Structures are given as C-alpha cells and as structure tokens.
C-alpha cells in the first residue's frame, strides 16, 4: 500500500527502479551471507518489500500512457511476463541448483535484477509533468482513506486474495506434490510447472485482448465464469490419476486463473480516476500479497507430519486452492461499475 501511494507522489519509474534495486540487493545478500534462518527470513521479507513496488508501478505506467480501451491489453502483456518467467525459471533454476548450488543461484538472480534496473533506467522515459498529462491532472481529487472504502477497491482486494491462493499455492507446493505423491523427479516436476507457465503466458495476452475487445463492461461475468472453471480444473489435477491428464487440467486451470487475474487487475485502471491508480493498485495488490502469504502457510499446515488428521494428504490442500477461486467468483457478484467515465 505505501508503494502504491508513493507511485502517485514520485512517479512509477522511480518506484520501479527502487523495487528492482531492493530485490537485487536482497537476492545477493540471501545467497552471499544467508547463513542463519533469521538472516534468510530478513532478506526474504525485504525482498517482498521490493516486489511490492512492481504491480502498482506497471499499472500506473499503463494508466499514464494508454487510453482506457487500450489498457487491458497493455497490462496483460506486462502480466504475461510472469508466464514467461514460469516457463524459464523452474527449468533454469533446477539446472543451476545442481550445477553451482543455491547460493550462486541467488547471486545470479541478483545480477539479473540489476541488469533489468539498468534497462529501465536507460530505456523508460520519464513522464513529463506538464503538457502530456492534462487528463490525469484534471481528474477529481480523491482522498486515500475514501479510496480504502471504495466498493470497487474492496471487492477486488478480496477477489485477488482468492485468486492468489492457488496462484502462489500451486507455484510453491505443486513441485512437492508431484515429487512426493506422483513420484516424479525434480526435473520432470519442473517441466510440468513450465507447462503451466505456457498457459499463463498464453492466457495473459489472449485474455487481455479478448476482454479488452469483446467483454468491456462485462468483466464481472468473465471473472465469475473463469474463476469457477479454474476451481474445477484445480481439483481435477488432484483427482485424476493419469499424470498427463492432470498436466492438461493444470494447463486449463492456469488459463482461466490468469483470465480472472488479468481482468481483476485491469479493472481499477478502467473504472477509477487515473490520478489514484497507483494507490488503488497498491491496495488491490495487498489483497493478492495476503493471498500469497496465507496460501503456503495453510497448505504447509495441512500436509505437515505434525498435523495427524491431514498429514501427507494433498486432497485438503487442493480443496483449499479451489476454494480460493470460488471465493473470487462469488465476491465479484455485487461489483458495480462507478457512474463516472474516464477520459
């Protein structure tokens, strides 16, 4: 939330650069001097602080540079980078872990973050304060506290919380499930995860184009239907005994999960004044962050050996992941478009 507020005050480029520097520094320290659990937790926490600046910075950049009817596609292209990362990341990291170990893997990730920061510094122009942004400057002023009570922001906060429960849960726990319950080795588990990344990438771009072109003002219906389909497919990943069929259901689950995610994440840019987009996206993204925080903890508890009732039983975990998508589907039903139209 502070990162979103900061975007509206100092600009998206500065916040994005600061985020990348923090991420890179924490990854470097994690690998270089991470010798105790306290240090590892500290660096992970600070890396999370750095990551918080990315979603609202990108949303602010899109709102500042694109017309309303172009924002869904533009934002979906940005979000598709997570799919690309999910394709490359598991395979590359599984290779570097075995080749150079986890410490040097983190140091390499730090170098990547610093290189991207340099590219942003050189390649992204600064937004001019006058002449080019009169539409944003003419928007009505909205206080931060009234934004926190805005129904659009509150409902999307809860919706993205629900979507990120399976988004983070699958990313963090699916490899363990595939290795432990499906008897795959780590390499093949990485390929299955990468297959899901392909779905994310396709869906991010495809759904952004489809929703922006054909489903404007019907976004609530898209979120509702996509979330329910994803919920069913997530459960079928566990329920089906054939690993190939399960991978196909995982692919479909990610397609519709990302459709919901992209649609939720672009609605504030179409329904709210442009001069509060950074703050609004900071609030909405906080809901997603909380989903990513809660999900691995709850799943870890469910399958922990200390939990005798559920120990090693992933069925409860997959029901929990599906429930997150059902929550996202139901919470958007009372969502209504504000009366004003953005220029």
């Amino acid at each position: 939330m502070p990162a979103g507020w900061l975007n509206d005050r100092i600009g998206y480029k500065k916040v994005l650069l600061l985020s990348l520097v923090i991420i890179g520094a924490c990854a470097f320290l994690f690998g270089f001097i991470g010798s105790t659990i306290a240090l590892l937790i500290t660096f992970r926490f600070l890396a999370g602080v750095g990551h918080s600046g990315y979603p609202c910075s990108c949303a602010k950049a899109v709102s500042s540079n694109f017309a309303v009817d172009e924002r869904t596609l533009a934002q979906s292209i940005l979000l598709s980078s997570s799919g690309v990362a999910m394709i490359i990341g598991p395979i590359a990291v599984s290779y570097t872990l075995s080749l150079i170990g986890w410490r040097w893997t983190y140091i390499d990730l730090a170098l990547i973050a610093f290189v991207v920061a340099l590219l942003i510094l050189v390649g992204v122009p600064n937004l001019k304060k006058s002449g080019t942004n009169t539409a944003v400057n003419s928007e009505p002023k909205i206080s931060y506290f009234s934004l926190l009570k805005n129904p659009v922001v509150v409902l999307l906060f809860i919706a993205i919380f629900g979507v990120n429960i399976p988004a983070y849960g699958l990313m963090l726990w699916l490899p363990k499930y595939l290795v432990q319950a499906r008897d795959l080795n780590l390499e093949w588990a990485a390929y299955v995860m990468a297959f899901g990344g392909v779905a994310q990438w396709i869906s991010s771009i495809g759904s952004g184009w489809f929703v922006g072109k054909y489903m404007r003002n019907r976004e609530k219906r898209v979120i509702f239907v996509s979330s329910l389909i994803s919920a069913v497919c997530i459960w079928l990943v566990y329920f089906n005994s054939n690993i190939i069929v399960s991978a196909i259901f995982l692919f479909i689950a990610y397609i519709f999960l990302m459709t919901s995610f992209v649609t939720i994440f672009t609605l504030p840019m179409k329904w709210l004044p442009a001069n509060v987009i950074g703050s609004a996206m900071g609030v909405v993204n906080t809901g997603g962050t909380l989903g990513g925080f809660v999900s691995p903890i709850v799943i870890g508890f469910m399958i922990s050996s200390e939990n005798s009732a559920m120990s090693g039983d992933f069925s409860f975990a997959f029901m929990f992941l599906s429930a997150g998508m059902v929550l996202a589907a139901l919470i958007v039903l009372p969502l209504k478009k504000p009366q004003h139209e953005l220029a």
Side-chain angles (χ1 to χ4, degrees):
M1 293 170 70
W5 177 86
L6 202 59
N7 262 277
D8 290 329
R9 296 302 179 274
I10 68 172
Y12 56 82
K13 183 175 179 179
K14 292 178 182 177
V15 176
L16 188 55
L17 285 171
L18 181 62
S19 297
L20 286 164
V21 170
I22 292 174
I23 292 168
C26 290
F28 179 83
L29 293 172
F30 193 95
F32 189 67
I33 63 172
S35 56
T36 67
I37 190 65
L39 282 174
L40 295 177
I41 290 174
T42 299
F43 295 142
R44 281 292 290 167
F45 177 85
L46 293 175
V49 172
H51 277 282
S52 68
Y54 167 76
C56 44
S57 297
C58 290
K60 185 72 175 180
V62 169
S63 297
S64 300
N65 291 282
F66 292 89
V68 175
D69 57 356
E70 298 173 334
R71 292 175 186 174
T72 299
L73 179 58
Q75 179 74 344
S76 67
I77 292 173
L78 289 178
L79 293 174
S80 71
S81 63
S82 63
V84 177
M86 194 172 172
I87 297 169
I88 299 172
I91 298 172
V93 170
S94 66
Y95 175 76
T96 57
L97 282 173
S98 61
L99 186 67
I100 59 177
W102 70 269
R103 290 188 180 276
W104 280 103
T105 296
Y106 267 94
I107 292 172
D108 285 349
L109 292 173
L111 294 175
I112 292 173
F114 290 140
V115 169
V116 174
L118 182 61
L119 293 174
I120 294 293
L121 178 65
V122 174
V124 175
N126 294 312
L127 184 66
K128 296 180 181 179
K129 293 185 177 180
S130 61
T132 61
N133 207 25
T134 55
V136 173
N137 294 331
S138 64
E139 291 286 354
K141 299 295 182 182
I142 298 178
S143 72
Y144 191 77
F145 290 104
S146 65
L147 191 67
L148 295 176
K149 297 183 291 183
N150 187 293
V152 173
V153 175
V154 173
L155 292 175
L156 293 181
F157 173 98
I158 300 172
I160 206 72
F161 170 84
V163 169
N164 267 14
I165 285 177
Y168 278 79
L170 288 171
M171 179 176 64
L172 296 172
W173 283 105
L174 190 61
K176 181 179 177 66
Y177 165 73
L178 294 172
V179 171
Q180 182 174 310
R182 292 298 186 99
D183 297 322
L184 296 182
N185 59 37
L186 187 60
E187 181 180 358
W188 277 104
Y191 283 122
V192 173
M193 294 293 292
F195 189 53
V198 174
Q200 282 199 30
W201 179 73
I202 293 173
S203 181
S204 295
I205 296 179
S207 63
W209 170 81
F210 177 76
V211 174
K213 189 172 181 65
Y214 297 107
M215 300 300 290
R216 188 173 181 185
N217 299 325
R218 289 181 285 180
E219 291 90 350
K220 182 171 71 173
R221 188 183 306 173
V222 173
I223 298 168
F224 178 78
V225 173
S226 297
S227 297
L228 290 183
I229 294 175
S230 182
V232 172
C233 290
I234 288 170
W235 175 243
L236 290 174
V237 171
Y238 172 82
F239 186 76
N240 196 282
S241 59
N242 187 301
I243 187 61
I244 296 177
V245 177
S246 291
I248 293 173
F249 279 125
L250 178 67
F251 185 90
I252 299 171
Y254 267 122
I255 287 283
F256 287 99
L257 184 152
M258 284 304 298
T259 299
S260 295
F261 184 90
V262 168
T263 308
I264 292 169
F265 226 68
T266 54
L267 265 186
M269 293 185 291
K270 295 187 284 186
W271 285 10
L272 297 175
N275 57 12
V276 296
I277 289 300
S279 299
M281 293 304 297
V283 176
V284 173
N285 186 60
T286 300
T289 303
L290 289 175
F293 172 75
V294 169
S295 182
I297 294 176
V298 171
I299 296 175
F301 169 77
M302 285 180 171
I303 66 174
S304 171
S305 59
E306 297 177 2
N307 180 9
S308 57
M310 305 179 185
S311 177
D313 187 351
F314 281 90
S315 63
F316 295 100
F318 276 89
M319 282 190 283
F320 173 66
L321 297 176
S322 296
M325 296 306 299
V326 174
L327 171 65
L330 297 179
I331 201 63
V332 299
L333 290 178
L335 192 64
K336 293 182 180 179
K337 184 178 181 180
Q339 294 301 313
H340 71 269
E341 285 284 344
L342 296 182

